[in-house]
């Protein structure tokens, strides 16, 4: 018999579940399956109820340069954000993460900071920030700041001091090393005869390509930069550096912010002695690309977790004193096992398992495997789940999966357990701008690789300005026709205004409805039970064992073909939401009779026994 038996991933959450091991399961069956497979449930972790704000909200990422420009200079700013807060709250979002707004020469668009406790004039003033913070709090929005601890700008005063010949207080604020002797080591021809700098201290590569070392004549030494040469790495072996960065956290906590997204923390510490890194044997990577080496000495070092633990302690101390919880989330692109270590020292570590889904991972099998991977690694302890579908460093989901799948993907993101992160514009299905020329390119990551290869690396396509309406010249993002990145030409049709209409199938309206639905107890706190994979469908149950709460079944066609879903046993159900099917909300559906879903359709059913 074609039967797909129950797969229960007991991720979650009530003590009674832990105590009794009671599992309420959905029996699910997909029509095209021949497998008969059961996976044992994992032990549900205990999570303290009631949930804290960061466990209940969607995190909405605002990339300030691209959200709303109030002063017509073509770059988004704080006043622009403040004027658009109603859009954010209309999404049922309760927290926004702001990418960096600090003083910066903008070599990496704010991730190169020259003063951690100031606002860059392009974004406004500290007064504008205070006003934005107050306005957000008034509207019930928590504010998550971007904390960029790994590096500063090369124009930060600490670095200009550190570069000087004469030793001073800042001499050891960065990672300085002697050149390598060209005569005794195999150097690339390029640096063989170069004086005075000889060869860099080792083979380490920058995340943006090329050597991670830059020579400074005055000091006759190299400094480390794991990103741009204009982003020198701070030296966390120096106690004073640690203190300075704690002061930065204190400054923003005293302002009243609610949490921090901790940037690029994998890179905080390096192996002493700076040994060469081994080759990754990654066939796709050329010898100047970061992926060419296996980063066993520059990423995820043991001391890194100590630093983050110290920040956690500081936040906890502050929080206790001020009767609030300061939220922290680590940004670490790393394997799942290492990610558990970040979870141990922060509230969350961003879960990037959904980032690689694209046309090469466009089946129920593939996407389920990615969901399982995370849940199997994290789900047996009290690590709060979270899911990221897009951000300013990765191609947009509408481009990766195809525009038609935006609603299906938002359904997946918002109905999985835990905290979802939505990148601005993904609520209206914005696409990458695929035709930005080399001349128009601004992202240094793209520029570094020159006109022939920039498109492989540039992050500009996913950073184009928010599309508010169809007006010229810039979709009401700005009055300027010279926006910092070109507008995506489809703003005439894809924009907030055109989707805010009486039509429950626009991406914006689907997003809002999903965001409302996830307020149900079963979605907020319930366990997830994932059915076995199939070509096209992702099927999962969400239920809470607490008496009286509703149980839901979510069926999403993420594949290329129609597929029918049959529920194994005779439950009755009612349509809570759907996209791409013939049902209406509240229709009663016999789920054992078979429900056919076309590609990109989804249905959420409230299930009765
Ligand atoms: C993080 C940011 C990215 C930035 C890098 C260096 O990965 O998300 O945009 O370029 O850190 O700060
Ligand atoms: Mg502006």
């Amino acid at each position: 018999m074609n039967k797909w038996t129950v797969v229960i991933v007991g991720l979650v959450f009530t003590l009674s579940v832990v105590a009794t091991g009671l599992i309420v399961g959905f029996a699910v069956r997909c029509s095209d399956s021949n497998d008969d497979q059961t996976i044992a449930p994992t032990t549900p972790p205990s999570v303290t109820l009631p949930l804290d704000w960061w466990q209940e909200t969607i995190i909405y990422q605002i990339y300030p340069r691209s959200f709303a420009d109030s002063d017509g200079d073509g770059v988004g700013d704080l006043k622009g954000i403040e004027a658009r807060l109603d859009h954010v709250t209309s999404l049922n979002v309760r927290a926004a993460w702001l990418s960096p707004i600090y003083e910066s020469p903008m070599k990496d668009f704010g991730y190169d900071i020259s003063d951690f406790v100031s606002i860059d004039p392009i974004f406004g003033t500290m007064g504008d920030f205070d006003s934005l913070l107050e306005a957000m709090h008034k509207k019930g929005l928590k504010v998550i700041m971007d904390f960029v601890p790994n590096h500063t700008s090369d124009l930060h005063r600490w670095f200009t001091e550190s570069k000087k010949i004469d030793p001073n207080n800042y001499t050891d604020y960065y990672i300085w090393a002697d050149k390598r002797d060209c005569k005794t080591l195999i150097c690339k021809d390029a640096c063989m005869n170069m004086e005075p700098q000889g060869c860099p201290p080792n083979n380490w590569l920058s995340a943006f390509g090329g050597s991670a070392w830059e020579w400074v004549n005055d000091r006759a030494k190299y400094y480390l930069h794991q990103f741009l040469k204009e982003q020198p790495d701070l030296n966390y072996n120096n106690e004073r550096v640690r203190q300075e960065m704690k002061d930065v956290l204190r400054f923003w906590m005293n302002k009243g912010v609610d949490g921090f997204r901790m940037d690029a923390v994998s890179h905080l510490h390096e192996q002493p002695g700076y040994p060469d890194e081994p080759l990754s044997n990654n066939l796709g990577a050329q010898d100047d690309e970061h992926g060419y080496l296996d980063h066993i000495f520059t990423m995820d070092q043991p001391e890194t977790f100590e630093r983050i633990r110290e920040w956690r302690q500081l936040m906890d101390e502050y929080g206790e004193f001020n009767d609030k919880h300061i939220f922290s989330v680590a940004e670490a692109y790393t394997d799942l096992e290492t990610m558990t270590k970040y979870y141990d020292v922060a509230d969350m570590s961003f879960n990037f398992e959904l980032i690689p889904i694209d046309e090469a991972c466009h089946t129920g099998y593939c996407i389920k495997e990615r969901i399982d991977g995370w849940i199997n690694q994290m789900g047996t302890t009290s690590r709060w789940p979270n899911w990221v579908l897009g951000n300013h460093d990765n191609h947009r989901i509408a481009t990766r999966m195809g525009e038609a799948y935006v609603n299906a993907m938002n359904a997946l993101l918002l109905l999985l357990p835990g905290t979802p992160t939505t990148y601005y514009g993904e609520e209206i299905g914005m696409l990458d701008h695929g035709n930005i020329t080399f001349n128009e390119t601004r992202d240094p990551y793209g520029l570094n690789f020159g006109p022939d290869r920039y498109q492989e690396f540039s992050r500009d396509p996913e950073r184009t300005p928010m599309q508010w309406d169809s007006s010229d010249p810039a979709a009401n993002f700005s009055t300027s026709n010279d926006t910092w990145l070109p507008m995506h030409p489809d703003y005439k049709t894809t924009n907030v205004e055109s989707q805010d209409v009486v039509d429950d199938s626009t991406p914006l309206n689907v997003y809002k409805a999903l965001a409302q639905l996830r307020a149900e107890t079963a979605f907020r706190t319930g366990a997830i039970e994932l059915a076995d994979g199939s070509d096209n469908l992702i099927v999962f149950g969400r239920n809470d064992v607490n008496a009286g709460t509703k149980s839901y079944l979510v069926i999403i066609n993420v594949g290329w073909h129609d597929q029918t879903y049959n529920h194994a046993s005779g439950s009755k159900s009612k349509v809570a939401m759907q996209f791409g099917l013939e049902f209406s909300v509240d229709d009663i559906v016999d789920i054992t009779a078979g429900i056919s879903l076309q590609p990109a359709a989804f249905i959420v059913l409230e299930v009765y026994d």
Side-chain angles (χ1 to χ4, degrees):
M1 187 173 98
N2 290 346
K3 186 164 179 203
W4 293 42
T5 32
V6 189
V7 179
I8 301 170
V9 185
L11 215 208
V12 194
F13 302 116
T14 61
L15 286 168
S16 67
V17 177
V18 179
T20 62
L22 172 71
I23 305 295
V24 179
F26 287 99
V28 288
R29 189 158 62 92
C30 290
S31 57
D32 68 343
S33 162
N34 298 313
D35 302 329
D36 204 1
Q37 189 188 0
T38 308
I39 298 175
T42 53
T43 316
S46 62
V47 165
T48 318
L49 296 171
L51 301 177
D52 203 358
W53 65 265
W54 55 273
Q55 298 171 302
E56 297 203 286
T57 185
I58 298 166
I59 297 176
Y60 186 77
Q61 182 190 354
I62 294 176
Y63 192 71
R65 294 183 72 84
S66 296
F67 199 61
D69 172 23
S70 73
D71 60 2
D73 65 355
V75 181
D77 44 56
L78 300 183
K79 281 201 172 115
I81 297 173
E82 188 171 337
R84 291 293 186 178
L85 290 179
D86 286 342
H87 172 71
V88 181
T89 51
S90 79
L91 303 174
N92 270 305
V93 160
R94 292 286 165 263
W97 149 36
L98 306 178
S99 280
I101 51 175
Y102 319 108
E103 187 187 284
S104 164
M106 300 289 165
K107 293 287 185 212
D108 190 20
F109 297 107
Y111 284 95
D112 51 318
I113 299 168
S114 48
D115 182 351
F116 288 101
V117 294
S118 68
I119 302 293
D120 194 277
I122 201 116
F123 296 124
T125 63
M126 193 57 90
D128 294 339
F129 176 79
D130 293 338
S131 158
L132 175 63
L133 183 68
E134 195 186 325
M136 289 177 78
H137 282 164
K138 269 202 186 126
K139 289 181 187 290
L141 288 165
K142 301 286 185 189
V143 180
I144 301 167
M145 302 297 279
D146 216 311
F147 177 53
V148 186
N150 179 66
H151 42 264
T152 69
S153 158
D154 62 334
L155 299 185
H156 196 294
R157 196 176 63 88
W158 302 340
F159 191 67
T160 52
E161 291 294 317
S162 195
K163 274 199 313 193
K164 290 180 177 164
I165 314 175
D166 299 328
N168 58 40
N169 281 338
Y170 299 94
T171 299
D172 297 324
Y173 264 45
Y174 296 85
I175 298 171
W176 294 95
D178 292 327
K179 67 181 174 186
R180 184 149 59 162
D181 186 353
C182 288
K183 297 192 190 85
T184 56
L185 286 159
I186 306 159
C187 280
K188 280 190 165 186
D189 297 343
C191 73
M192 191 67 190
N193 298 314
M194 280 172 73
E195 289 301 334
Q197 66 263 48
C199 282
N202 63 26
N203 71 347
W204 293 356
L205 291 167
S206 148
F208 291 147
S211 174
W213 297 96
E214 183 73 12
W215 175 257
V216 170
N217 244 335
D218 281 356
R219 276 194 73 166
K221 281 186 191 295
Y222 280 90
Y223 68 86
L224 179 72
H225 59 90
Q226 294 210 48
F227 292 88
L228 296 176
K229 67 175 169 31
E230 293 87 356
Q231 292 169 302
D233 269 51
L234 284 164
N235 173 16
Y236 275 93
N237 296 316
N238 182 338
E239 178 57 30
R240 291 191 53 211
V241 168
R242 298 184 200 176
Q243 288 307 329
E244 298 265 22
M245 294 313 282
K246 286 184 187 165
D247 285 346
V248 172
L249 289 173
R250 282 190 193 99
F251 177 89
W252 292 103
M253 288 192 292
N254 284 332
K255 281 257 162 213
V257 308
D258 305 286
F260 298 94
R261 174 261 189 191
M262 303 182 290
D263 179 78
V265 283
S266 292
H267 302 267
L268 286 179
H269 271 273
E270 298 74 26
Q271 172 83 21
Y274 312 147
D276 277 344
E277 286 187 325
L279 303 190
S280 64
N281 296 319
N282 169 356
L283 295 177
Q286 302 188 12
D287 65 2
D288 56 347
E289 286 174 43
H290 197 237
Y292 186 70
L293 299 178
D294 188 5
H295 302 292
I296 54 173
F297 299 134
T298 53
M299 294 181 76
D300 307 320
Q301 301 296 295
E303 298 83 356
T304 294
F305 304 100
E306 289 313 304
R307 298 292 78 76
I308 302 174
R309 190 188 300 283
E310 286 166 12
W311 296 333
R312 181 69 259 160
Q313 273 161 10
L314 182 73
M315 292 178 210
D316 285 346
E317 276 159 33
Y318 180 92
E320 231 164 84
F321 198 73
N322 292 277
D323 203 22
K324 69 193 266 195
H325 177 78
I326 304 287
F327 167 67
S328 65
V329 54
E331 183 222 21
Y333 287 88
T334 187
D335 60 87
L336 289 169
E337 206 186 317
T338 309
M339 197 174 282
T340 63
K341 299 191 201 164
Y342 288 102
Y343 252 96
D344 292 343
V345 290
D347 289 315
M348 301 189 330
S349 185
F350 272 140
N351 169 7
F352 296 124
E353 290 303 294
L354 297 180
I355 290 290
I357 65 176
D358 60 11
E359 62 182 38
C361 179
H362 211 300
T363 63
Y365 287 116
C366 183
I367 295 176
K368 178 182 180 289
E369 207 175 295
R370 303 207 66 86
I371 296 170
D372 276 346
W374 193 91
I375 288 178
N376 292 339
Q377 183 73 51
M378 306 289 185
T380 52
T381 75
S382 61
R383 297 181 182 107
W384 183 256
N386 81 91
W387 309 89
V388 178
L389 206 50
N391 60 31
H392 64 298
D393 296 326
N394 290 286
H395 295 305
R396 285 182 177 276
I397 190 66
T399 296
R400 302 200 317 266
M401 289 295 283
E403 230 178 328
Y405 291 84
V406 164
N407 292 335
M409 290 301 109
N410 279 332
L412 183 68
L413 175 74
L414 297 182
L415 300 180
L416 284 171
T419 304
T421 298
T422 289
Y423 182 49
Y424 82 92
E426 311 248 299
E427 71 277 28
I428 55 168
M430 271 176 66
L431 285 161
D432 273 11
H433 190 327
N435 299 317
I436 298 179
T437 64
F438 186 69
N439 277 340
E440 290 166 332
T441 294
R442 298 286 170 264
D443 182 16
Y445 195 11
L447 292 171
N448 265 355
F449 284 90
D452 293 337
R453 299 191 66 199
Y454 76 98
Q455 282 178 316
E456 282 174 58
F457 301 97
S458 177
R459 297 166 294 179
D460 291 338
E462 61 263 24
R463 295 177 176 179
T464 58
M466 181 68 176
Q467 297 163 196
W468 295 102
D469 63 30
S470 62
S471 63
D472 292 328
N476 223 352
F477 157 73
S478 173
T479 52
S480 168
N481 56 14
D482 189 22
T483 52
W484 81 281
L485 283 176
M487 299 300 299
H488 192 294
D490 82 352
Y491 71 84
K492 289 275 170 206
T493 47
T494 301
N495 60 66
V496 173
E497 192 181 67
S498 71
Q499 295 187 18
D500 193 10
V501 289
V502 191
D503 170 358
D504 58 15
S505 70
T506 71
L508 182 65
N509 288 337
V510 170
Y511 190 96
K512 287 181 183 175
L514 285 164
Q516 197 137 28
L517 186 58
R518 73 186 296 286
E520 288 287 338
T521 310
F523 289 110
R524 285 187 304 125
T525 67
I528 181 171
E529 302 157 23
L530 270 160
D532 285 359
S534 73
D535 274 338
N536 301 291
L537 302 184
I538 295 274
V539 181
F540 55 89
R542 297 298 314 274
N543 64 86
D544 194 298
V545 291
N546 293 324
T549 55
K550 300 170 185 169
S551 293
Y552 291 91
L553 184 65
V554 180
I555 312 165
I556 309 174
N557 190 329
V558 297
W560 306 109
H561 306 287
D562 288 4
Q563 191 169 342
T564 301
Y565 167 78
N566 297 292
H567 206 65
S569 60
S571 302
K572 276 262 171 300
S573 71
K574 192 167 84 174
V575 177
M577 206 184 149
Q578 62 90 30
F579 171 74
L581 290 100
E582 296 290 301
F583 297 110
S584 305
V585 168
D586 288 343
D587 279 359
I588 301 295
V589 178
D590 176 0
I591 43 179
T592 54
I595 301 173
S596 176
L597 286 89
Q598 62 188 19
F602 75 85
I603 187 161
V604 185
L605 297 162
E606 191 188 325
V607 183
Y608 306 91
D609 288 330

